[in-house]
Amino acid sequence: MPFLVSGNIDLVDRSSLRKLEKHLGIILSPHQYPIEQYNLIRNSLRTKLDSENLIRKMSRRELLSFIYILTQFGDVVQGETPQEYLDVAEIPVVLEWQKGHFMIPYEVLDFLAHSRVFRNQNYLFALIPALPAREKKAWIEWIGAGYEKAFPREINHELYFQCRHLQKPFQGKSLVQEERIRIDQLWAPGKNEIADWFYKGISPFYSAMKELQRAERDPFLLHVLDLIRSGKLVLKRIPEEFGKREQFDLVSTVEGNTPQLRDTVFSWEVQREEREDFLFR
């Protein structure tokens, strides 16, 4: 998975870090506090980076490489990636943090998540931050990650991390072909007591889905529940109409429709409880 450059500049190759610093007009130093580094990067991204301009300035091969890395949850390993998707030397927000290891840092992903371009196309990294806080907490509890920390950004990163591992066995496949599904098409209001908990606002959607996974007997619906739990299908707010109650659909995510090819597991991913990004503490 990608990680925050802030607090972890010792992990990033110096020449690659310099590429990011030059583009953002900042200097990162190990003598700075991690929160200083984070604020430098965040503030510069707001003033120096425009997601639409970033895309427009890329060549076709660079754009394909950038989009491919996004579909792979923000990082790839050279030996496990088709060569045509590694034209990233001139993309300032893609770092070769170690030789042959490329990533889009979390600071950049957090920034791009606010772009309508990626949210409208249903990228998982952009849809997770848009979920209500209670839904994210219910989802992470359903996954069983045991994540109880308070900051929304941390929960976003943890969900993203967990979804990558949950999605890998699917290899981008599912029995659901629709890009958007109305929840009431799967569980009709008044026909399922557990789903009605969500319709009536008694419980978050992901809490209801957790209970449904224990009670459901229909094989197709159990498959749908697996897709929801892994983030291949995600809750997305329908544009509000005046006088109507807030409504949601399920949408198919870009990452969920793409086979996850990375098999390499980095030591920091395994030892996340021992060494975490500074904002995760």
Side-chain angles (χ1 to χ4, degrees):
M1 292 298 294
F3 53 84
L4 289 164
V5 170
S6 316
N8 296 296
I9 61 173
D10 58 311
L11 296 181
V12 183
D13 177 81
R14 184 63 238 179
S15 62
S16 192
L17 185 62
R18 194 176 298 117
K19 179 178 77 169
L20 179 68
E21 290 174 321
K22 183 178 179 180
H23 182 75
L24 295 181
I26 61 175
I27 296 176
L28 298 172
S29 163
H31 301 296
Q32 298 160 333
Y33 289 111
I35 192 64
E36 291 181 81
Q37 296 169 352
Y38 180 80
N39 286 332
L40 270 174
I41 295 172
R42 182 188 61 179
N43 294 336
S44 186
L45 284 170
R46 287 176 176 172
T47 58
K48 298 286 182 67
L49 188 67
D50 180 286
S51 56
E52 294 186 18
N53 283 335
L54 174 70
I55 291 171
R56 279 197 292 266
K57 290 179 180 178
M58 293 182 194
S59 68
R60 181 177 179 276
R61 282 180 60 91
E62 287 172 342
L63 181 58
L64 287 174
S65 299
F66 181 66
I67 294 300
Y68 179 78
I69 295 173
L70 287 178
T71 69
Q72 298 297 299
F73 283 79
D75 77 325
V76 296
V77 174
Q78 185 170 5
E80 299 168 351
T81 305
Q83 190 60 37
E84 61 266 30
Y85 297 134
L86 288 175
D87 192 352
V88 299
E90 301 303 318
I91 303 177
V93 295
V94 176
L95 304 186
E96 187 173 8
W97 61 279
Q98 286 184 8
K99 185 172 177 57
H101 300 158
F102 303 85
M103 74 161 182
I104 302 171
Y106 265 140
E107 291 96 337
V108 176
L109 287 174
D110 290 341
F111 175 80
L112 295 178
H114 295 289
S115 168
R116 286 180 295 177
V117 173
F118 298 106
R119 194 175 297 176
N120 290 345
Q121 292 181 10
N122 295 331
Y123 279 86
L124 179 62
F125 78 86
L127 293 179
I128 288 175
L131 284 170
R134 72 176 198 151
E135 291 293 355
K136 288 187 278 195
K137 290 177 181 178
W139 187 5
I140 212 161
E141 181 182 331
W142 182 19
I143 290 173
Y147 204 79
E148 300 176 353
K149 298 176 183 179
F151 296 108
R153 186 185 304 106
E154 299 166 5
I155 296 177
N156 296 342
H157 294 176
E158 183 68 13
L159 279 169
Y160 196 55
F161 177 87
Q162 296 293 336
C163 284
R164 179 177 204 159
H165 292 285
L166 291 170
Q167 286 186 19
K168 187 169 178 60
F170 288 97
Q171 288 300 299
K173 300 175 182 177
S174 80
L175 299 177
V176 176
Q177 302 301 315
E178 293 85 352
E179 293 184 4
R180 181 180 290 266
I181 304 171
R182 282 173 39 196
I183 300 169
D184 59 13
Q185 290 178 312
L186 299 169
W187 295 281
K191 301 292 185 181
N192 185 296
E193 180 184 14
I194 298 175
D196 283 345
W197 296 347
F198 166 65
Y199 296 135
K200 294 177 181 179
I202 298 172
S203 74
F205 172 76
Y206 287 97
S207 292
M209 295 302 101
K210 178 183 178 182
E211 295 305 315
L212 269 176
Q213 194 171 49
R214 296 170 178 168
E216 187 60 70
R217 294 293 177 264
D218 184 299
F220 175 73
L221 291 177
L222 285 170
H223 175 69
V224 171
L225 287 164
D226 284 338
L227 301 180
I228 296 170
R229 183 171 179 266
S230 67
K232 287 170 69 64
L233 293 175
V234 172
L235 199 66
K236 185 177 183 180
R237 182 183 287 108
I238 301 171
E240 294 184 27
E241 295 183 28
F242 180 74
K244 288 192 175 182
R245 183 179 170 181
E246 187 177 56
Q247 292 182 309
F248 296 85
D249 281 344
L250 288 169
V251 295
S252 181
T253 62
V254 174
E255 294 92 330
N257 286 317
T258 310
Q260 300 304 311
L261 299 186
R262 174 158 78 83
D263 290 321
T264 299
V265 178
F266 299 114
S267 59
W268 75 267
E269 293 178 306
V270 177
Q271 301 167 357
R272 292 164 73 249
E273 294 303 318
E274 298 175 21
R275 173 171 183 155
E276 296 178 314
D277 294 328
F278 78 97
L279 288 178
F280 279 50
R281 294 186 185 128

